[in-house]
Amino acid sequence: MTTTISVAEAARPMVADPAEWSLGLWLTVALLAVAVLGGTALRVVPEHHRIVVFRLGRITRVRGPGIVASIPGLERVATVSLRPVHLPLVVSALTRDGVSVRLTATVACRIAAPARSTVASADPVGDTVATVESALAKRVAHTDLVDLLMVRERLEDTLPCELSTIAAAWGVEVAEITVSDIEARLSADLLRLVQQAGTPLSRPSAGRRSTPPGDR
């Protein structure tokens, strides 16, 4: 039996089945959603960085370097750099004998505990720098001007270890403190100290009388 198709039926455009069209649309939307979620759920953590993962406000893990997965909408991540940072410091203080000095220094510190640094302080490095400035000012206040240059190397050797114990509460380690310059303002107190330091040299020793050269 031969089936005859008219010219009008052959020219009529084919209409897609509504069910097939709806299925294709849902598949496209699902693929797009998976791509978006996959892009936000997977992160590439570079070297010298760590990712701290929070779930419902609590730290669940620290990951990196490499590819790290998280659950979008349920977990939040914070990226922490472990590279050392070098920050300049300018500390103005009074010595024990009342002279105003100005110290120029550099502090090198780094994040040693990523998880602790994200919850203990909003700015752990800034808090560490403020602690270093306060410690330098206290050391200057307990040192005379004449002795300040001599204890300079001692400050650079002992302060990093002492302050690392304090900064550990913020997850920070103080690696190095370098005092590059110590300036003293020319003031009446400084002139008084210079005069006092020079006075014993100009006075004859006790119990000894100066003899003119012609009477020797």
Side-chain angles (χ1 to χ4, degrees), residues 59-75:
I59 297 177
T60 58
R61 57 194 184 277
V62 178
R63 294 291 184 268
I67 298 177
V68 178
S70 60
I71 304 174
L74 184 63
E75 294 181 335

Side-chain angles (χ1 to χ4, degrees), residues 11-101:
R12 184 185 304 169
M14 297 184 64
V15 180
D17 188 1
E20 295 180 356
W21 182 84
S22 177
L23 179 61
L25 179 62
W26 281 110
L27 286 176
T28 303
V29 172
L31 290 175
L32 289 176
V34 169
V36 171
L37 291 177
T40 57
L42 297 179
R43 289 176 171 81
V44 178
V45 183
E47 190 71 25
H48 304 295
H49 286 74
R50 296 294 183 270
I51 276 188
V52 182
V53 182
F54 295 83
R55 179 180 297 175
L56 300 178
R58 294 184 178 181
I59 297 177
T60 58
R61 57 194 184 277
V62 178
R63 294 291 184 268
I67 298 177
V68 178
S70 60
I71 304 174
L74 184 63
E75 294 181 335
R76 178 179 63 87
V77 300
T79 304
V80 179
S81 175
L82 304 183
R83 292 184 181 276
V85 293
H86 296 76
L87 300 173
L89 300 178
V90 178
V91 179
S92 298
L94 287 175
T95 61
R96 183 166 55 184
D97 43 8
V99 179
S100 177
V101 296

